[in-house]
Amino acid sequence: MIDQVVILLGPPGSGKGTQATRLSAELGVPHVATGDMFRTQMEEGTDLGQRAGRYMDSGRLVPDELVTEMLFVRVDGEDCVEGYVLDGFPRNLSQAESLDQGLEGRWSSSVASLEVPDEVLVERIAGRLLCREDSNHIYHASFSPPKVEGVCDECGGELYRREDDNPEVVAERLYVYREQTAAVITHYAQDGRLEPVDGNQGPDEVYRALRSAVEGSDVEEGG
Ligand code: ADP
Ligand code: ADP
């Protein structure tokens, strides 16, 4: 059991989704990914999905008021009482401050940041394939291809490429990361809470480094 929130930071394509999926499964707590939540809303055609989609399609951040409330409603859920792995939030200083306030006194948190050079990010995003049935089933056309092209090994779901994983939008997302999200890294580094993790290795090596970074901040394993 853990009573801790793991905050996983890193630029687009750094492996947050891949690592958060494994960490949350092994820790037995939910993987909460704001990008996945918005994509679900878009697929369902909700008002929130339509509003968020306009920003996502161009690579900009969805406005804080749309993100923060959605996130806090989600982590108030019964399944998050023992902790959760947060992927894709916070993405600017104001979100980091909201999260600090939301967590204050209730949770301890560990913050890990996946570090990957830009040229590797671009390669990873260019080959990313996601499963329509379960956003935790993540593939790469060259680095971790499915056994059968276009089909998820785990559930048989159809694999697809994200619309925003095209070169123009990726360039904008990397720019937005540097302009707005990098400040979040500095915020946690100044607090002394940041655990940098070398994300430019194979997924198993990254996972080992992440586990030890997170354990160093006192996450207990088990259930
Ligand atoms: P990636 O996996 O490439 O880091 P995500 O799936 O986390 O991308 O996010 C995709 C898009 O969703 C972002 O480009 C942004 O438009 C929107 N988004 C996700 N999380 C947030 C957030 N915390 N604040 C603002 N926008 C967000
Ligand atoms: P993020 O959530 O940070 O945007 P993902 O976990 O979706 O990143 O990974 C982006 C792409 O890179 C996916 O296609 C994934 O299969 C691949 N990938 C993730 N981690 C690694 C790694 N350590 N080495 C090579 N490819 C990776």
Short mmCIF file of all heavy atoms in Angstrom, two decimals, residues 10-17 33-39 42 52-64 66-68 70-71 87-92 95 125 128 130 162 164-165 169-170 172-173 176-177 181, ligand 1:
data_model
loop_
_atom_site.label_atom_id
_atom_site.label_comp_id
_atom_site.label_asym_id
_atom_site.label_seq_id
_atom_site.Cartn_x
_atom_site.Cartn_y
_atom_site.Cartn_z
N GLY A 10 8.21 15.17 -17.64
CA GLY A 10 9.09 14.91 -18.78
C GLY A 10 8.45 15.45 -20.04
O GLY A 10 7.22 15.56 -20.12
N PRO A 11 9.26 15.77 -21.04
CA PRO A 11 8.72 16.32 -22.29
C PRO A 11 7.87 15.29 -23.04
O PRO A 11 7.92 14.09 -22.72
CB PRO A 11 9.98 16.68 -23.08
CG PRO A 11 11.09 15.91 -22.47
CD PRO A 11 10.71 15.67 -21.04
N PRO A 12 7.13 15.75 -24.06
CA PRO A 12 6.35 14.82 -24.89
C PRO A 12 7.27 13.73 -25.45
O PRO A 12 8.34 14.04 -25.95
CB PRO A 12 5.83 15.70 -26.03
CG PRO A 12 5.98 17.10 -25.59
CD PRO A 12 7.03 17.14 -24.53
N GLY A 13 6.84 12.48 -25.35
CA GLY A 13 7.62 11.38 -25.91
C GLY A 13 8.72 10.85 -25.01
O GLY A 13 9.45 9.93 -25.38
N SER A 14 8.82 11.38 -23.79
CA SER A 14 9.93 10.96 -22.92
C SER A 14 9.67 9.60 -22.28
O SER A 14 10.57 9.04 -21.65
CB SER A 14 10.21 12.02 -21.86
OG SER A 14 9.05 12.25 -21.08
N GLY A 15 8.44 9.09 -22.40
CA GLY A 15 8.15 7.76 -21.84
C GLY A 15 7.29 7.81 -20.58
O GLY A 15 7.18 6.81 -19.87
N LYS A 16 6.64 8.94 -20.34
CA LYS A 16 5.80 9.05 -19.13
C LYS A 16 4.70 8.00 -19.11
O LYS A 16 4.49 7.32 -18.11
CB LYS A 16 5.16 10.45 -19.04
CG LYS A 16 6.14 11.60 -18.97
CD LYS A 16 5.44 12.94 -18.85
CE LYS A 16 4.53 13.32 -20.01
NZ LYS A 16 5.23 13.48 -21.31
N GLY A 17 3.98 7.90 -20.23
CA GLY A 17 2.87 6.95 -20.28
C GLY A 17 3.35 5.51 -20.11
O GLY A 17 2.77 4.73 -19.34
N ALA A 33 -3.68 10.20 -16.18
CA ALA A 33 -3.00 10.93 -17.26
C ALA A 33 -3.98 11.94 -17.85
O ALA A 33 -5.00 11.56 -18.44
CB ALA A 33 -2.53 9.95 -18.34
N THR A 34 -3.68 13.23 -17.70
CA THR A 34 -4.61 14.26 -18.17
C THR A 34 -4.81 14.20 -19.69
O THR A 34 -5.91 14.39 -20.19
CB THR A 34 -4.16 15.66 -17.72
OG1 THR A 34 -2.75 15.80 -17.95
CG2 THR A 34 -4.43 15.86 -16.24
N GLY A 35 -3.73 13.91 -20.44
CA GLY A 35 -3.86 13.80 -21.90
C GLY A 35 -4.82 12.68 -22.28
O GLY A 35 -5.70 12.86 -23.14
N ASP A 36 -4.70 11.52 -21.62
CA ASP A 36 -5.61 10.40 -21.90
C ASP A 36 -7.05 10.77 -21.54
O ASP A 36 -8.00 10.41 -22.25
CB ASP A 36 -5.20 9.16 -21.09
CG ASP A 36 -3.89 8.55 -21.57
OD1 ASP A 36 -3.48 8.84 -22.71
OD2 ASP A 36 -3.28 7.77 -20.81
N MET A 37 -7.20 11.50 -20.45
CA MET A 37 -8.56 11.89 -20.03
C MET A 37 -9.20 12.79 -21.08
O MET A 37 -10.36 12.63 -21.43
CB MET A 37 -8.51 12.58 -18.66
CG MET A 37 -8.12 11.63 -17.54
SD MET A 37 -7.70 12.49 -16.01
CE MET A 37 -9.31 12.96 -15.45
N PHE A 38 -8.41 13.73 -21.60
CA PHE A 38 -8.95 14.62 -22.65
C PHE A 38 -9.27 13.83 -23.92
O PHE A 38 -10.28 14.08 -24.57
CB PHE A 38 -7.95 15.73 -22.99
CG PHE A 38 -7.91 16.85 -21.98
CD1 PHE A 38 -6.70 17.33 -21.50
CD2 PHE A 38 -9.08 17.43 -21.52
CE1 PHE A 38 -6.66 18.36 -20.58
CE2 PHE A 38 -9.05 18.47 -20.60
CZ PHE A 38 -7.83 18.93 -20.13
N ARG A 39 -8.41 12.88 -24.28
CA ARG A 39 -8.68 12.10 -25.52
C ARG A 39 -9.98 11.29 -25.37
O ARG A 39 -10.76 11.17 -26.31
CB ARG A 39 -7.49 11.21 -25.88
CG ARG A 39 -6.38 11.99 -26.60
CD ARG A 39 -5.25 11.11 -27.08
NE ARG A 39 -4.42 10.65 -25.98
CZ ARG A 39 -3.46 11.38 -25.41
NH1 ARG A 39 -3.17 12.58 -25.86
NH2 ARG A 39 -2.76 10.90 -24.41
N MET A 42 -12.74 13.67 -25.89
CA MET A 42 -12.88 14.02 -27.31
C MET A 42 -13.62 12.91 -28.05
O MET A 42 -14.51 13.18 -28.85
CB MET A 42 -11.50 14.24 -27.94
CG MET A 42 -10.89 15.58 -27.60
SD MET A 42 -9.14 15.68 -28.03
CE MET A 42 -9.23 15.93 -29.80
N ALA A 52 -11.22 21.22 -25.25
CA ALA A 52 -9.81 20.84 -25.07
C ALA A 52 -9.17 20.52 -26.42
O ALA A 52 -8.02 20.85 -26.67
CB ALA A 52 -9.71 19.64 -24.13
N GLY A 53 -9.94 19.87 -27.28
CA GLY A 53 -9.42 19.41 -28.57
C GLY A 53 -8.84 20.54 -29.41
O GLY A 53 -7.85 20.35 -30.11
N ARG A 54 -9.45 21.72 -29.32
CA ARG A 54 -8.95 22.86 -30.11
C ARG A 54 -7.51 23.20 -29.72
O ARG A 54 -6.72 23.58 -30.56
CB ARG A 54 -9.86 24.08 -29.89
CG ARG A 54 -11.21 23.92 -30.55
CD ARG A 54 -11.89 25.26 -30.68
NE ARG A 54 -12.63 25.62 -29.46
CZ ARG A 54 -13.86 25.21 -29.20
NH1 ARG A 54 -14.50 24.43 -30.04
NH2 ARG A 54 -14.46 25.56 -28.09
N TYR A 55 -7.21 23.08 -28.46
CA TYR A 55 -5.84 23.37 -27.99
C TYR A 55 -4.90 22.21 -28.32
O TYR A 55 -3.78 22.39 -28.78
CB TYR A 55 -5.84 23.65 -26.48
CG TYR A 55 -6.63 24.89 -26.13
CD1 TYR A 55 -7.99 24.82 -25.85
CD2 TYR A 55 -6.01 26.13 -26.13
CE1 TYR A 55 -8.72 25.96 -25.56
CE2 TYR A 55 -6.73 27.28 -25.84
CZ TYR A 55 -8.08 27.18 -25.55
OH TYR A 55 -8.80 28.32 -25.27
N MET A 56 -5.37 21.00 -28.05
CA MET A 56 -4.51 19.82 -28.26
C MET A 56 -4.09 19.69 -29.71
O MET A 56 -2.94 19.37 -30.01
CB MET A 56 -5.24 18.56 -27.79
CG MET A 56 -5.48 18.57 -26.30
SD MET A 56 -6.57 17.26 -25.77
CE MET A 56 -5.48 15.85 -25.84
N ASP A 57 -5.04 19.94 -30.62
CA ASP A 57 -4.75 19.78 -32.04
C ASP A 57 -3.65 20.72 -32.51
O ASP A 57 -2.96 20.44 -33.50
CB ASP A 57 -6.01 20.05 -32.88
CG ASP A 57 -7.03 18.94 -32.73
OD1 ASP A 57 -6.64 17.87 -32.22
OD2 ASP A 57 -8.20 19.14 -33.10
N SER A 58 -3.48 21.86 -31.82
CA SER A 58 -2.44 22.79 -32.25
C SER A 58 -1.21 22.71 -31.35
O SER A 58 -0.26 23.46 -31.55
CB SER A 58 -3.00 24.21 -32.28
OG SER A 58 -3.38 24.57 -30.98
N GLY A 59 -1.24 21.85 -30.35
CA GLY A 59 -0.06 21.64 -29.51
C GLY A 59 0.06 22.60 -28.34
O GLY A 59 1.06 22.59 -27.63
N ARG A 60 -0.98 23.44 -28.14
CA ARG A 60 -0.93 24.36 -27.00
C ARG A 60 -1.49 23.69 -25.76
O ARG A 60 -2.18 22.67 -25.84
CB ARG A 60 -1.77 25.62 -27.31
CG ARG A 60 -1.15 26.52 -28.35
CD ARG A 60 -2.12 27.61 -28.75
NE ARG A 60 -3.30 27.04 -29.42
CZ ARG A 60 -4.49 27.62 -29.50
NH1 ARG A 60 -4.70 28.79 -28.94
NH2 ARG A 60 -5.48 27.04 -30.14
N LEU A 61 -1.24 24.31 -24.60
CA LEU A 61 -1.82 23.76 -23.38
C LEU A 61 -3.30 24.10 -23.31
O LEU A 61 -3.72 25.20 -23.67
CB LEU A 61 -1.12 24.36 -22.14
CG LEU A 61 0.35 24.00 -21.93
CD1 LEU A 61 0.84 24.58 -20.60
CD2 LEU A 61 0.58 22.49 -21.97
N VAL A 62 -4.07 23.17 -22.82
CA VAL A 62 -5.48 23.41 -22.53
C VAL A 62 -5.52 24.37 -21.32
O VAL A 62 -4.70 24.22 -20.40
CB VAL A 62 -6.18 22.07 -22.20
CG1 VAL A 62 -7.63 22.29 -21.82
CG2 VAL A 62 -6.07 21.10 -23.39
N PRO A 63 -6.43 25.37 -21.33
CA PRO A 63 -6.43 26.33 -20.22
C PRO A 63 -6.59 25.66 -18.85
O PRO A 63 -7.31 24.67 -18.71
CB PRO A 63 -7.64 27.22 -20.53
CG PRO A 63 -7.86 27.08 -22.00
CD PRO A 63 -7.42 25.70 -22.36
N ASP A 64 -5.90 26.25 -17.87
CA ASP A 64 -5.86 25.66 -16.53
C ASP A 64 -7.24 25.34 -15.96
O ASP A 64 -7.42 24.31 -15.31
CB ASP A 64 -5.17 26.64 -15.54
CG ASP A 64 -3.69 26.76 -15.84
OD1 ASP A 64 -3.15 25.91 -16.57
OD2 ASP A 64 -3.08 27.73 -15.34
N LEU A 66 -9.87 24.34 -17.30
CA LEU A 66 -10.45 23.10 -17.83
C LEU A 66 -9.71 21.87 -17.30
O LEU A 66 -10.29 20.79 -17.16
CB LEU A 66 -10.40 23.08 -19.36
CG LEU A 66 -11.16 24.19 -20.10
CD1 LEU A 66 -11.07 23.96 -21.61
CD2 LEU A 66 -12.61 24.24 -19.66
N VAL A 67 -8.42 22.03 -17.04
CA VAL A 67 -7.59 20.89 -16.65
C VAL A 67 -7.72 20.60 -15.16
O VAL A 67 -7.92 19.46 -14.73
CB VAL A 67 -6.09 21.16 -16.93
CG1 VAL A 67 -5.25 19.92 -16.66
CG2 VAL A 67 -5.88 21.62 -18.35
N THR A 68 -7.57 21.65 -14.37
CA THR A 68 -7.39 21.47 -12.93
C THR A 68 -8.62 20.87 -12.28
O THR A 68 -8.53 19.94 -11.48
CB THR A 68 -6.99 22.82 -12.29
OG1 THR A 68 -5.88 23.32 -13.04
CG2 THR A 68 -6.54 22.64 -10.86
N MET A 70 -10.97 19.04 -13.70
CA MET A 70 -11.08 17.64 -14.15
C MET A 70 -10.14 16.74 -13.35
O MET A 70 -10.52 15.65 -12.91
CB MET A 70 -10.75 17.58 -15.65
CG MET A 70 -10.69 16.18 -16.21
SD MET A 70 -10.16 16.14 -17.95
CE MET A 70 -8.38 16.36 -17.79
N LEU A 71 -8.93 17.23 -13.14
CA LEU A 71 -7.92 16.43 -12.43
C LEU A 71 -8.33 16.20 -10.98
O LEU A 71 -8.30 15.07 -10.49
CB LEU A 71 -6.59 17.17 -12.51
CG LEU A 71 -5.27 16.53 -12.10
CD1 LEU A 71 -4.83 16.90 -10.71
CD2 LEU A 71 -5.24 15.02 -12.29
N ASP A 87 0.55 11.64 -14.55
CA ASP A 87 1.29 11.73 -15.83
C ASP A 87 0.68 12.86 -16.65
O ASP A 87 -0.49 12.80 -17.02
CB ASP A 87 1.17 10.35 -16.50
CG ASP A 87 1.38 10.35 -18.01
OD1 ASP A 87 1.78 11.36 -18.59
OD2 ASP A 87 1.12 9.29 -18.62
N GLY A 88 1.47 13.90 -16.89
CA GLY A 88 0.98 15.02 -17.74
C GLY A 88 0.45 16.20 -16.97
O GLY A 88 -0.04 17.15 -17.56
N PHE A 89 0.54 16.16 -15.68
CA PHE A 89 0.12 17.27 -14.82
C PHE A 89 1.08 17.31 -13.63
O PHE A 89 1.37 16.24 -13.08
CB PHE A 89 -1.31 17.03 -14.31
CG PHE A 89 -1.90 18.21 -13.57
CD1 PHE A 89 -2.76 19.08 -14.21
CD2 PHE A 89 -1.60 18.43 -12.23
CE1 PHE A 89 -3.31 20.17 -13.54
CE2 PHE A 89 -2.14 19.52 -11.56
CZ PHE A 89 -3.00 20.38 -12.20
N PRO A 90 1.60 18.46 -13.23
CA PRO A 90 1.36 19.80 -13.74
C PRO A 90 2.23 20.14 -14.95
O PRO A 90 3.31 19.60 -15.11
CB PRO A 90 1.75 20.68 -12.55
CG PRO A 90 2.79 19.91 -11.80
CD PRO A 90 2.45 18.46 -12.01
N ARG A 91 1.71 21.05 -15.79
CA ARG A 91 2.41 21.44 -17.01
C ARG A 91 2.78 22.91 -17.03
O ARG A 91 3.36 23.38 -18.00
CB ARG A 91 1.53 21.15 -18.21
CG ARG A 91 1.88 19.82 -18.87
CD ARG A 91 0.97 19.67 -20.07
NE ARG A 91 1.57 18.92 -21.13
CZ ARG A 91 1.39 17.61 -21.31
NH1 ARG A 91 0.69 16.91 -20.46
NH2 ARG A 91 1.93 17.00 -22.34
N ASN A 92 2.41 23.65 -16.00
CA ASN A 92 2.92 25.03 -15.85
C ASN A 92 2.95 25.34 -14.35
O ASN A 92 2.48 24.52 -13.53
CB ASN A 92 2.07 26.04 -16.64
CG ASN A 92 0.62 26.06 -16.19
OD1 ASN A 92 0.31 25.76 -15.05
ND2 ASN A 92 -0.28 26.42 -17.08
N GLN A 95 -0.39 25.34 -12.39
CA GLN A 95 -0.88 23.99 -12.09
C GLN A 95 -0.08 23.36 -10.95
O GLN A 95 -0.62 22.67 -10.09
CB GLN A 95 -0.81 23.09 -13.33
CG GLN A 95 -1.77 23.50 -14.43
CD GLN A 95 -1.71 22.58 -15.65
OE1 GLN A 95 -1.10 21.52 -15.63
NE2 GLN A 95 -2.35 23.01 -16.73
N ILE A 125 8.17 9.97 -30.88
CA ILE A 125 6.80 10.41 -31.16
C ILE A 125 6.41 10.02 -32.58
O ILE A 125 5.27 9.61 -32.83
CB ILE A 125 6.66 11.93 -30.94
CG1 ILE A 125 6.86 12.27 -29.46
CG2 ILE A 125 5.31 12.43 -31.42
CD1 ILE A 125 6.90 13.75 -29.16
N ARG A 128 5.13 6.48 -32.50
CA ARG A 128 4.21 6.06 -31.42
C ARG A 128 2.91 5.49 -31.97
O ARG A 128 2.30 6.07 -32.87
CB ARG A 128 3.91 7.24 -30.51
CG ARG A 128 2.77 6.95 -29.54
CD ARG A 128 2.77 7.80 -28.31
NE ARG A 128 2.80 9.23 -28.57
CZ ARG A 128 3.06 10.13 -27.61
NH1 ARG A 128 3.30 9.74 -26.37
NH2 ARG A 128 3.07 11.41 -27.91
N LEU A 130 -0.82 3.86 -30.42
CA LEU A 130 -1.63 3.67 -29.21
C LEU A 130 -2.81 2.76 -29.51
O LEU A 130 -3.31 2.73 -30.63
CB LEU A 130 -2.18 5.01 -28.73
CG LEU A 130 -1.19 6.00 -28.12
CD1 LEU A 130 -1.91 7.28 -27.76
CD2 LEU A 130 -0.51 5.41 -26.89
N ARG A 162 -1.63 9.19 -32.84
CA ARG A 162 -2.31 10.40 -32.35
C ARG A 162 -2.23 11.49 -33.40
O ARG A 162 -1.19 11.69 -34.02
CB ARG A 162 -1.63 10.88 -31.07
CG ARG A 162 -2.21 10.26 -29.84
CD ARG A 162 -1.40 10.53 -28.61
NE ARG A 162 -1.05 11.94 -28.41
CZ ARG A 162 -0.35 12.38 -27.36
NH1 ARG A 162 0.04 11.53 -26.43
NH2 ARG A 162 -0.07 13.65 -27.23
N ASP A 164 -2.04 14.59 -32.99
CA ASP A 164 -1.09 15.65 -32.65
C ASP A 164 0.36 15.15 -32.68
O ASP A 164 1.27 15.89 -32.38
CB ASP A 164 -1.41 16.28 -31.28
CG ASP A 164 -1.39 15.30 -30.13
OD1 ASP A 164 -1.44 14.07 -30.37
OD2 ASP A 164 -1.33 15.74 -28.96
N ASP A 165 0.57 13.90 -33.08
CA ASP A 165 1.94 13.38 -33.22
C ASP A 165 2.50 13.64 -34.61
O ASP A 165 3.24 12.82 -35.16
CB ASP A 165 1.99 11.87 -32.88
CG ASP A 165 2.03 11.61 -31.38
OD1 ASP A 165 2.17 12.58 -30.60
OD2 ASP A 165 1.93 10.44 -30.97
N VAL A 169 2.91 19.89 -35.13
CA VAL A 169 2.35 19.99 -33.77
C VAL A 169 3.40 19.55 -32.75
O VAL A 169 3.49 20.14 -31.66
CB VAL A 169 1.04 19.17 -33.65
CG1 VAL A 169 0.47 19.27 -32.25
CG2 VAL A 169 0.02 19.67 -34.66
N VAL A 170 4.23 18.59 -33.10
CA VAL A 170 5.29 18.15 -32.17
C VAL A 170 6.25 19.31 -31.90
O VAL A 170 6.64 19.56 -30.76
CB VAL A 170 6.05 16.93 -32.73
CG1 VAL A 170 7.29 16.63 -31.90
CG2 VAL A 170 5.13 15.71 -32.74
N GLU A 172 5.59 22.45 -31.95
CA GLU A 172 4.89 23.38 -31.05
C GLU A 172 4.86 22.82 -29.62
O GLU A 172 5.08 23.56 -28.65
CB GLU A 172 3.46 23.63 -31.58
CG GLU A 172 2.60 24.50 -30.69
CD GLU A 172 3.07 25.96 -30.60
OE1 GLU A 172 3.92 26.38 -31.43
OE2 GLU A 172 2.60 26.68 -29.69
N ARG A 173 4.62 21.53 -29.47
CA ARG A 173 4.57 20.93 -28.13
C ARG A 173 5.92 21.02 -27.44
O ARG A 173 6.00 21.26 -26.23
CB ARG A 173 4.08 19.48 -28.21
CG ARG A 173 2.56 19.40 -28.43
CD ARG A 173 2.13 18.09 -29.07
NE ARG A 173 2.45 16.93 -28.29
CZ ARG A 173 2.56 15.70 -28.80
NH1 ARG A 173 2.37 15.50 -30.11
NH2 ARG A 173 2.86 14.69 -28.04
N VAL A 176 6.31 24.64 -26.36
CA VAL A 176 5.47 24.90 -25.19
C VAL A 176 6.09 24.26 -23.94
O VAL A 176 6.09 24.84 -22.85
CB VAL A 176 4.02 24.36 -25.42
CG1 VAL A 176 3.22 24.29 -24.13
CG2 VAL A 176 3.30 25.22 -26.45
N TYR A 177 6.67 23.10 -24.12
CA TYR A 177 7.33 22.43 -22.98
C TYR A 177 8.45 23.32 -22.43
O TYR A 177 8.54 23.56 -21.23
CB TYR A 177 7.89 21.07 -23.41
CG TYR A 177 8.56 20.37 -22.24
CD1 TYR A 177 7.80 19.67 -21.30
CD2 TYR A 177 9.93 20.47 -22.04
CE1 TYR A 177 8.40 19.08 -20.20
CE2 TYR A 177 10.53 19.88 -20.94
CZ TYR A 177 9.76 19.18 -20.02
OH TYR A 177 10.36 18.61 -18.93
N THR A 181 6.52 24.39 -19.34
CA THR A 181 6.58 23.22 -18.45
C THR A 181 7.95 23.09 -17.78
O THR A 181 8.03 22.59 -16.65
CB THR A 181 6.20 21.94 -19.21
OG1 THR A 181 4.99 22.21 -19.93
CG2 THR A 181 5.97 20.78 -18.27
P1 ADP B 1 2.47 13.72 -24.29
O1 ADP B 1 2.24 12.26 -24.01
O2 ADP B 1 2.97 13.93 -25.66
O3 ADP B 1 3.26 14.39 -23.21
P2 ADP B 1 -0.22 14.26 -23.38
O4 ADP B 1 -1.06 13.12 -23.82
O5 ADP B 1 0.18 14.28 -21.95
O6 ADP B 1 1.04 14.40 -24.34
O7 ADP B 1 -0.97 15.62 -23.71
C1 ADP B 1 -1.50 15.87 -24.99
C2 ADP B 1 -2.09 17.29 -25.01
O8 ADP B 1 -3.12 17.39 -24.02
C3 ADP B 1 -1.11 18.40 -24.68
O9 ADP B 1 -0.38 18.83 -25.80
C4 ADP B 1 -2.07 19.49 -24.16
O10 ADP B 1 -2.73 20.14 -25.24
C5 ADP B 1 -3.12 18.66 -23.42
N1 ADP B 1 -2.81 18.52 -21.98
C6 ADP B 1 -2.56 17.36 -21.31
N2 ADP B 1 -2.32 17.59 -20.02
C7 ADP B 1 -2.41 18.95 -19.85
C8 ADP B 1 -2.25 19.83 -18.77
N3 ADP B 1 -1.91 19.38 -17.54
N4 ADP B 1 -2.41 21.15 -18.98
C9 ADP B 1 -2.73 21.64 -20.18
N5 ADP B 1 -2.89 20.86 -21.27
C10 ADP B 1 -2.74 19.52 -21.11
#
